[in-house]
Amino acid sequence: MLNPMRKTVIGLVIVMLGAVAAAAASEVTGPPPSTKPVYLYKTTFVRAAQGKLLDLIALYKDRMAAIEAAGDVRPFWWRHTQGDQWDLMILTPMGSYVEYYAKGRVARRDKAAAAAAAGATWADFARKLDACSSWKEDVFVMGPPLEFVKKAFEGTAYYHIEIFVSLPGKQEELFKEREMENVYAVETKRPYNMIFVRDSGASWDLYTLGCYRDIKHWAVGEEVSKEQRAAAAQKAGFKAPEEIGPYMRTLIDFHRDTMGVAIK
């Protein structure tokens, strides 16, 4: 028969193992069924006007409720902590232009917005957004299937985006290089970075987005030996880990790195 102390210890171990299993279950550790971008998203970057960041976040929170009430998928979003000039990234699932801008679906969004609160039409939202933001940018992108993106965001609270403008004619090779880096990442026990490719809008050619449990998960990862890293690089198509960054830079005009946190 177990004594009370031993029961307590065993109970704590079970709880901790459950937490680890839950974290592992929500972490994307491999590619989607096809790495070809198949689903349309609207990516919005917004910089708050001076002193208006909390107002900007509150405005988008209210808008999220209207979006869900209309039957649309709630956008994924997070807040910048360091990196580029913007404060918020909003990733809105669309599926396709035809689906998203179908008359019936637009009507449902208008109806849901009007029902949410007085002065909550989309035109009112745009005016309020103008009042509490100083810069906005939209880029429509093709990316992984929606369910894959949902899974990537589950249980995560820290994010890293790398966004690129390629050299002329290097877009396809840059996409391939991003896929190669994903092979290396997965082989070295890092989460898979989702790849999104420009369809229209701002001048960016593509970006990768990594979702992590916290900053430690992003910065440290798991212990991997030098030999394991070398083998992973070769499996991905690189000669050595040290060549990954320099090769990527032969394909781009410029890029930006931005890190951030979940919005509660």
Side-chain angles (χ1 to χ4, degrees), residues 5 12 26 40 61 82 118 132 143 150 185 221 228-229:
M5 178 62 74
L12 288 172
S26 64
L40 181 68
K61 282 185 176 180
Q82 57 184 312
C132 60
K150 285 181 178 179
Q228 287 175 309
R229 293 186 186 280

Side-chain angles (χ1 to χ4, degrees), residues 43 45 84-86 135 137-141 162-166 171 196-207 254-257:
T43 311
F45 301 108
D84 210 345
Q85 60 161 329
W86 45 266
W135 177 89
E137 183 177 70
D138 292 322
V139 56
F140 294 84
V141 293
E162 292 183 86
I163 189 164
F164 304 85
V165 171
S166 74
Q171 289 87 347
F196 298 84
V197 178
R198 178 187 183 275
D199 185 76
S200 64
S203 62
W204 304 107
D205 286 304
L206 66 78
Y207 66 80
F254 65 94
H255 84 297
R256 298 284 185 271
D257 283 274

Side-chain angles (χ1 to χ4, degrees), residues 7-21:
K7 285 182 178 179
T8 301
V9 171
I10 292 173
L12 288 172
V13 170
I14 291 172
V15 169
M16 291 173 66
L17 288 174
V20 170

Side-chain angles (χ1 to χ4, degrees), residues 96-109:
S96 70
Y97 295 110
V98 173
E99 290 177 60
Y100 191 78
Y101 292 112
K103 288 184 178 180
R105 195 163 166 183
V106 171
R108 289 197 299 273
R109 283 197 291 272

Side-chain angles (χ1 to χ4, degrees), residues 25-38:
S26 64
E27 182 181 309
V28 170
T29 56
S34 171
T35 57
K36 181 181 179 181
V38 295

